[in-house]
Amino acid sequence: MYTLELKVNGQPYKVEVKATANLLEVLRDKLGITSPKVGCETGDCGTCSVILNGKLVKSCLVNALTAQGAEVLTLEGLGRPGALHPLQQAFHEHYAAQCGFCTPGMIMAAKALLDENPQPTKEDVKHYLSGNLCRCTGYVKIVDAVMAAAEEMRR
Amino acid sequence: MGETEFYKANSVKEACDLLAQFGERATLLAGGTDLMVLVNRRQLIPEVLVYIGECGLNYIREEETGLVIGAATPHVEIVRSELVQKKAPLLAKVISTIGSPAIQNQGTIGGNLGNASPAADSAVALLALGASLKLVAAGWERTVPAADFFVGPGKTVLKPGEIIQEIIIPEEAAEYKWAFRKIGKRRADVCPTVSAAVAVKTENGRCKAARIALGSVAPTPLLSKKAPEMLVGKTVDAALIADVAKAVAEETDPIDDVRATAWYRRRASEALVKELLSQVIG
Amino acid sequence: MALNVVGQRVKRYDGLAHVAGETKFVDDVIVPGMLWTKVFRSPVSKGTIKNIDTSAAEKVAGVAAVITGKDVPNNRYGWGGDQYVLNDTAVRYKGEPIAAVAAVDEDTAAEAVSLIKVDIEEETPVFDPLEAMKPDAPLVRPEGNVFMYGDRPFRAIVLGDVEAGFKEADLIVEGDYLHPWLEHAQLEPQTSLAVPDASGRLTVYTVSQALYLHLQSLCSVLQMPMNKVHYIGGTVGGGFGSKNDMHADHIAAVLALKTGRPVKWRWTREEEMLYSTAKGSWHMHFKDGVKKDGRIIARHVRSIHDSGAYVSLNAYVVDKHSFLVAGPYFIPNVYVQGYAVFTNKPPASSMRGFGITPATFAGEVQMDRIAEAVGIDPWEIRFINAFREGEHTATRRVLDSVALIEVMQTLAKTAGVQLPDRLMAMSSTQRR
């Protein structure tokens, strides 16, 4: 076992992990942060998307020890009910969440997009969310929500 | 079963020393986008992980030999590099189609090559660009043409102890007209069914040099031998393009797998080569 | 009276939790001391189990329990009562669960599973339903490869006399249609968490889409009264029919009772793709007797459904397909034969419409073929045959509030298709 120190949603943690552990299992099983989901563990579905040192990653493919000293942002750290981030508000208002399983990954991918590009086109949004699957196929409403949030954040 | 050990290399020298120390027990880890799939599925339980993602191999620069890219440079930085856009736009285009934004942030060019998948996108681009790879170990270094690097699925000429240090793209690559396309079941995060890149240099209406590379159609990324023989010195017309496409398809050695049949891959190879050659010459 | 909901846009009751990351799916429930499950699955598609040796697996440090069929209070379950929780006799598909391990983590459980030795006498499987229907085909099930609807090997829908209809027809239009095997690919894999407590009660967190029916099934497997099982569900990360069959709760529950500890089982995506239920494939043959004016007066459909190895919901899938395959058209003579055929594949089951989407796909392509054969526009052929108010279906159900013609008129307008005035003037309430 190896000691991993990292900050998640601003909170410092120190945990013991196996060398083969991925960041997703550390977040979920060691830290109890469960918004990133286990959908495939092969990097195909995007339900585990988080922001690592400012960059969007699929946490199932991040070897946990390579995140030594890193800052991680998950949906829990973006905003809470009563103080939602504009993306969370827009996903709620535009019915962009159906079963809800892809939602945390979708919102984190959208957050990474808006951090880089505050004025995306619909095509930009589709491209940036292309690594995130929604089997309820609610993509139209998801894209609408991201566009609406981008507009709200520019105000 | 012993627990996997983890070592982070802080320099290329440290990486080479760790590899020398652990030999074949060591598995290299950079971005993890290929390796962690195997680890997560318990298809591979490494004895020793040597992490080389932060050992000073993240760079893109111009040298006398050409454009030089450090092996641990993430895809996104290659795609966004103005230098790459100028010197090897084909590489920027091809790498922009790898994975999805997250995978672009995580995966590295050296990882994509070292994993030696017959489908590796960056390999297809580098074969078409006539690139070479600088390999380094504790005590020696050597440079091999990309065309000689791949030996079989998951197999390369890397000897125990060696790592890919950097990729070198010759200066003249910028003089080529190029085109690339890949066929897959999804626009992102897809392992291509067939991919192809062509790079052609013309002078006074005649073909001066040509390289055609394909992915997922042979045990290794494939660089056509016949295409330059048939094209160089010729005025390229539709009939010649059709003949070249046919000849390249015959060079392929595809398999049936979950993505497509060998029959489909051969037909798609011919169609892709025809389309791409027409694009750059037509 | 003020309407608070009808005509209003209402926010999802669970929407805020979804966007805040607070929704607890089954895998998000984490209990201290929880064990993890991995399952030994049959490596062959058909065979007789001679011996199961779990001794090496039991010795792995961190393993709390290894179970086989003999550890399950009632080892049979499923919609047809024919499935094994853990098969200990004869396996019928590759991937069928034979033994299960509960261990401190997934790595340990996987290591233990790799040490389980199962001696299986392999037999010749059959994968193609058309092959499986032949008299000399290898038997998927001892009683035969075709599901029996009473004394018939198919679901029959009989209306009028199709043979007489064919004689009266001006032309016969035939068509063959195939629909492939499909995986639901819901994002949340099959997952279960079973938590025993000292009072003898068992709490099970489930992804079930059929909570109360699965509660009965689970209590039957465990041979426990329903008041001892607290079954918690309702939060489902996508189902699409894949969670109408119990995939994980039974095994997690038996392991939890055996160990006295909380046990979680989360399937991998690979298991999900290979071994969970699927939409079975279809071969559909249509033979229609048609008059020159476009009226379909007789339809014979023979549909063969690949049901995989177990009954599951397949008998109902074929039922629903057979009831509806004549389409939303008035056809006086109908004969449907719907076959549920067993093959050595994981059981097929429900997915998005229980067999009606293949029926609609095939039936509507057939309508286009009929239109082409009689030389009538594809829109018009549908107007000619569409149900009218008071007519009845192939199953003699008399219809009221029929609006198919009006729906097609609206659809044409929306799609910008200019239909002839005589079609736009038609109405579902006009008699033929």
Side-chain angles (χ1 to χ4, degrees):
Chain A
M1 296 291 250
Y2 291 82
T3 304
L4 171 65
E5 289 186 56
L6 76 176
K7 255 190 196 172
V8 185
N9 302 327
Q11 168 89 33
Y13 292 93
K14 190 170 176 179
V15 286
E16 296 297 304
V17 304
K18 284 186 184 179
T20 50
N22 62 51
L23 179 60
L24 174 62
E25 62 187 269
V26 171
L27 291 172
R28 292 179 57 86
D29 300 344
K30 301 273 181 180
L31 310 182
I33 294 166
T34 57
S35 78
K37 306 293 179 219
V38 183
C40 67
E41 290 187 291
T42 51
D44 291 290
C45 76
T47 59
C48 68
S49 303
V50 303
I51 294 177
L52 173 67
N53 290 335
K55 287 187 177 137
L56 180 69
V57 296
K58 299 198 180 193
S59 62
C60 74
L61 296 186
V62 175
N63 179 292
L65 290 172
T66 69
Q68 192 71 261
E71 294 213 16
V72 179
L73 181 69
T74 72
L75 186 57
E76 287 90 340
L78 196 60
R80 311 304 306 154
L84 290 177
H85 184 277
L87 271 166
Q88 293 170 306
Q89 194 66 44
F91 266 64
H92 185 42
E93 278 168 13
H94 289 263
Y95 303 89
Q98 291 184 51
C99 84
F101 204 78
C102 75
T103 309
M106 284 285 179
I107 295 180
M108 296 320 287
K111 165 76 164 67
L113 165 68
L114 298 186
D115 286 349
E116 274 179 28
N117 177 3
Q119 283 187 294
T121 63
K122 279 195 173 191
E123 279 310 307
D124 293 336
V125 176
K126 286 181 193 171
H127 166 71
Y128 216 92
L129 301 184
S130 62
N132 293 68
L133 297 179
C134 166
R135 174 60 177 86
C136 306
T137 55
Y139 295 110
V140 170
K141 299 208 178 294
I142 291 169
V143 174
D144 288 348
V146 179
M147 294 300 286
E151 199 180 321
E152 178 64 30
M153 287 166 73
R154 287 198 300 269
R155 274 199 223 177
Chain B
M1 206 180 305
E3 287 235 334
T4 303
E5 295 171 45
F6 183 95
Y7 296 90
K8 178 183 173 188
N10 292 304
S11 66
V12 176
K13 185 180 177 308
E14 261 185 50
C16 292
D17 290 346
L18 285 165
L19 284 193
Q21 182 186 343
F22 294 111
E24 291 185 358
R25 292 178 59 213
T27 301
L28 286 172
L29 168 68
T33 54
D34 280 316
L35 183 67
M36 290 304 285
V37 173
L38 301 178
V39 170
N40 290 345
R41 296 172 75 188
R42 298 173 187 82
Q43 284 174 308
L44 173 71
I45 302 174
E47 285 187 55
V48 176
L49 280 173
V50 176
Y51 175 50
I52 56 166
E54 294 166 71
C55 74
L57 287 178
N58 179 355
Y59 53 82
I60 300 171
R61 58 188 178 228
E62 214 173 350
E63 292 183 10
E64 279 170 28
T65 45
L67 176 66
V68 176
I69 301 173
T73 307
H75 301 314
V76 68
E77 292 180 25
I78 296 171
V79 172
R80 291 184 186 173
S81 156
E82 281 178 24
L83 201 54
V84 177
Q85 301 271 6
K86 199 169 88 188
K87 297 285 176 184
L90 168 63
L91 182 66
K93 164 70 188 173
V94 170
I95 290 190
S96 76
T97 71
I98 294 180
S100 54
I103 300 298
Q104 293 264 320
N105 288 332
Q106 294 171 261
T108 64
I109 187 167
N112 194 232
L113 296 169
N115 191 51
S117 160
D121 287 316
S122 55
V124 172
L126 294 175
L127 288 173
L129 291 169
S132 42
L133 277 60
K134 185 172 162 197
L135 315 179
V136 62
W140 76 87
E141 59 176 50
R142 60 182 176 134
T143 300
V144 299
D148 297 339
F149 181 70
F150 303 101
V151 178
K155 294 204 167 62
T156 69
V157 297
L158 278 172
K159 293 179 194 160
E162 271 184 342
I163 63 170
I164 307 170
Q165 181 169 12
E166 58 195 27
I167 291 95
I168 304 150
I169 298 163
E171 187 65 37
E172 61 134 21
E175 295 161 27
Y176 283 69
K177 285 199 255 178
W178 56 271
F180 169 78
R181 188 172 165 193
K182 77 177 172 193
I183 299 173
K185 295 230 186 317
R186 193 180 154 193
R187 269 208 264 172
D189 290 332
V190 72
C191 187
T193 308
V194 180
S195 61
V198 307
V200 176
K201 194 153 79 169
T202 51
E203 205 174 75
N204 303 327
R206 282 175 192 279
C207 175
K208 208 176 161 209
R211 286 191 211 93
I212 297 181
L214 294 100
S216 300
V217 297
T220 65
L222 180 75
L223 179 65
S224 167
K225 287 193 172 65
K226 286 197 190 142
E229 291 168 12
M230 293 173 75
L231 287 164
V232 172
K234 302 277 170 48
T235 306
V236 182
D237 58 12
L240 181 56
I241 288 175
D243 287 347
V244 171
K246 195 162 278 177
V248 173
E250 277 167 22
E251 283 179 90
T252 65
D253 182 15
I255 55 166
D256 292 341
D257 67 9
V258 289
R259 283 172 284 145
T261 59
W263 176 88
Y264 174 85
R265 287 191 158 104
R266 199 166 270 131
R267 303 249 335 218
S269 301
E270 184 175 340
L272 276 185
V273 170
K274 203 168 172 178
E275 177 188 312
L276 298 176
L277 265 181
S278 307
Q279 263 179 42
V280 295
I281 292 178
Chain C
M1 190 181 72
L3 296 174
N4 296 322
V5 173
V6 176
Q8 309 292 318
R9 285 176 77 78
V10 179
K11 291 281 175 292
R12 292 183 61 105
Y13 78 95
D14 54 0
L16 270 179
H18 283 348
V19 301
E22 288 185 351
T23 303
K24 291 286 175 210
F25 294 93
V26 172
D27 193 27
D28 301 334
V29 183
I30 294 169
V31 179
M34 189 169 80
L35 300 168
W36 288 87
T37 306
K38 288 282 170 190
V39 163
F40 181 96
R41 295 175 177 278
S42 172
V44 302
S45 296
K46 186 174 190 237
T48 303
I49 297 175
K50 297 291 176 191
N51 187 46
I52 305 172
D53 178 3
T54 60
S55 55
E58 284 159 26
K59 289 187 194 114
V60 174
V63 168
V66 183
I67 56 167
T68 61
K70 66 176 169 19
D71 299 294
V72 184
N74 171 15
N75 199 20
R76 306 305 282 270
Y77 82 108
W79 296 105
D82 56 342
Q83 282 166 266
Y84 294 84
V85 176
L86 293 166
N87 195 316
D88 52 6
T89 55
V91 290
R92 293 175 181 172
Y93 68 92
K94 187 174 174 180
E96 193 167 353
I98 293 175
V101 175
V104 288
D105 58 27
E106 283 186 299
D107 285 344
T108 306
E111 190 190 341
V113 164
S114 74
L115 298 172
I116 294 173
K117 300 266 179 298
V118 180
D119 180 12
I120 301 180
E121 194 174 291
E122 199 172 348
E123 292 153 19
T124 308
V126 59
F127 301 118
D128 179 346
L130 303 184
E131 290 297 319
M133 290 175 83
K134 292 180 179 167
D136 55 349
L139 283 176
V140 177
R141 304 158 66 91
E143 72 275 17
N145 289 350
V146 181
F147 181 83
M148 295 300 291
Y149 285 91
D151 56 359
R152 283 202 186 107
F154 53 85
R155 165 59 72 201
I157 305 296
V158 185
L159 176 69
D161 180 345
V162 275
E163 290 307 325
F166 289 146
K167 277 193 199 115
E168 242 181 83
D170 295 322
L171 67 163
I172 301 290
V173 181
E174 293 191 74
D176 284 288
Y177 304 95
L178 306 179
H179 185 290
W181 190 272
L182 290 178
E183 160 60 22
H184 308 81
Q186 81 290 347
L187 279 181
E188 178 197 40
Q190 306 292 341
T191 308
S192 181
L193 170 65
V195 186
D197 66 39
S199 72
R201 268 171 48 124
L202 182 70
T203 302
V204 179
Y205 297 84
T206 181
V207 299
S208 175
Q209 288 180 264
L211 200 76
Y212 292 96
L213 296 165
H214 285 177
L215 175 61
Q216 290 176 29
S217 185
L218 183 62
C219 290
S220 158
V221 166
L222 302 175
Q223 295 287 293
M224 277 169 74
M226 283 206 246
N227 64 359
K228 294 283 184 198
V229 178
H230 185 196
Y231 208 39
I232 300 175
T235 305
V236 181
F240 314 105
S242 70
K243 292 165 180 171
N244 280 329
D245 290 76
M246 192 186 291
H247 284 92
D249 293 335
H250 46 5
I251 289 175
V254 174
L255 282 167
L257 292 174
K258 171 115 179 170
T259 58
R261 291 173 64 180
V263 174
K264 185 179 273 186
W265 186 20
R266 180 185 66 218
W267 286 35
T268 65
R269 179 58 53 185
E270 189 173 3
E271 285 179 297
E272 192 71 53
M273 297 298 281
L274 290 173
Y275 310 129
S276 71
T277 53
K279 179 174 221 152
S281 61
W282 292 85
H283 292 69
M284 296 162 279
H285 179 80
F286 280 60
K287 180 180 177 186
D288 288 339
V290 187
K291 298 294 276 185
K292 271 188 226 147
D293 62 9
R295 278 179 301 135
I296 307 166
I297 58 167
R299 167 167 284 183
H300 178 196
V301 181
R302 189 166 183 265
S303 289
I304 294 162
H305 175 253
D306 185 346
S307 298
Y310 290 98
V311 172
S312 182
L313 286 160
N314 294 299
Y316 178 59
V317 164
V318 171
D319 268 347
K320 207 165 163 188
H321 173 93
S322 305
F323 296 157
L324 292 159
V325 73
Y329 306 110
F330 181 72
I331 306 173
N333 304 292
V334 175
Y335 184 37
V336 179
Q337 294 170 289
Y339 292 84
V341 181
F342 297 110
T343 59
N344 291 107
K345 293 184 192 149
S349 187
S350 55
M351 179 178 177
R352 298 232 120 174
F354 297 86
I356 64 169
T357 28
T360 303
F361 148 69
E364 292 306 312
V365 181
Q366 176 73 1
M367 291 304 282
D368 288 350
R369 284 199 173 157
I370 293 170
E372 199 182 346
V374 291
I376 291 178
D377 179 80
W379 284 89
E380 185 154 12
I381 201 84
R382 289 170 168 86
F383 276 80
I384 291 169
N385 290 288
F387 279 137
R388 307 291 204 275
E389 184 72 16
E391 288 180 340
H392 62 81
T393 66
T395 53
R396 295 187 182 78
R397 162 87 192 202
V398 177
L399 299 164
D400 58 28
S401 310
V402 174
L404 179 54
I405 285 172
E406 289 73 13
V407 166
M408 290 195 289
Q409 288 164 341
T410 307
L411 186 64
K413 272 189 222 157
T414 311
V417 174
Q418 192 76 44
L419 291 180
D421 291 345
R422 65 176 184 284
L423 297 188
M424 292 309 284
M426 283 172 73
S427 153
S428 294
T429 55
Q430 284 165 347
R431 300 189 69 86
R432 278 178 203 281

